[in-house]
Amino acid sequence: MRFCDECGSMMHTEGDTWVCRSCENEESRDSQAEAAMTTQDGQRDDGAPDVADATQGSTETMQESCPTDDCDSDRAYYEMMPKPGGSYEVRLFTCVECGHKWRET
């Protein structure tokens, strides 16, 4: 990643050139310098994040129609989960009949 020396915007690559889409400044790419910037030292793969199970420990249901075409249930378990970034919560549903999972849109 490179930032424009003229305006500070993030630059994009076009072939062998860095191009600023804000002020149209262009700079030559240096492949050796770019290779030196890329590192994986200290990075690790923690695997996939845990997925919440809306039925786990929940006995509360609410009237919510299952979106599955072949299910006529109008009841679902629900759980409130914080949205990444903490700005608000999202409601996760699990159908009491077929077990289909979805989130509030």
Side-chain angles (χ1 to χ4, degrees):
M1 185 182 318
R2 182 159 174 88
F3 294 93
C4 179
D5 291 333
E6 300 295 319
C7 70
S9 296
M10 187 170 68
M11 298 182 83
H12 301 271
T13 58
E14 290 183 9
D16 293 336
T17 307
W18 286 101
V19 178
C20 177
R21 294 184 182 161
S22 296
C23 71
E24 299 181 13
N25 181 35
E26 294 186 7
E27 297 177 20
S28 298
R29 291 179 64 183
D30 181 353
S31 59
Q32 288 181 334
E34 290 175 26
M37 286 186 239
T38 305
T39 181
Q40 292 185 357
D41 295 341
Q43 295 181 8
R44 66 172 192 252
D45 182 3
D46 293 337
D50 293 333
V51 176
D53 183 355
T55 60
Q56 184 178 16
S58 176
T59 56
E60 293 186 56
T61 64
M62 65 181 295
Q63 186 171 353
E64 185 71 28
S65 297
C66 180
T68 307
D69 291 335
D70 58 344
C71 182
D72 295 329
S73 176
D74 67 345
R75 302 294 301 171
Y77 298 104
Y78 69 94
E79 180 179 1
M80 299 299 287
M81 295 291 293
K83 189 85 168 166
S87 59
Y88 57 93
E89 291 185 322
V90 64
R91 195 175 343 211
L92 303 175
F93 296 104
T94 302
C95 177
V96 296
E97 295 294 324
C98 70
H100 176 75
K101 297 174 191 239
W102 72 99
R103 67 178 182 190
E104 188 172 49
T105 52

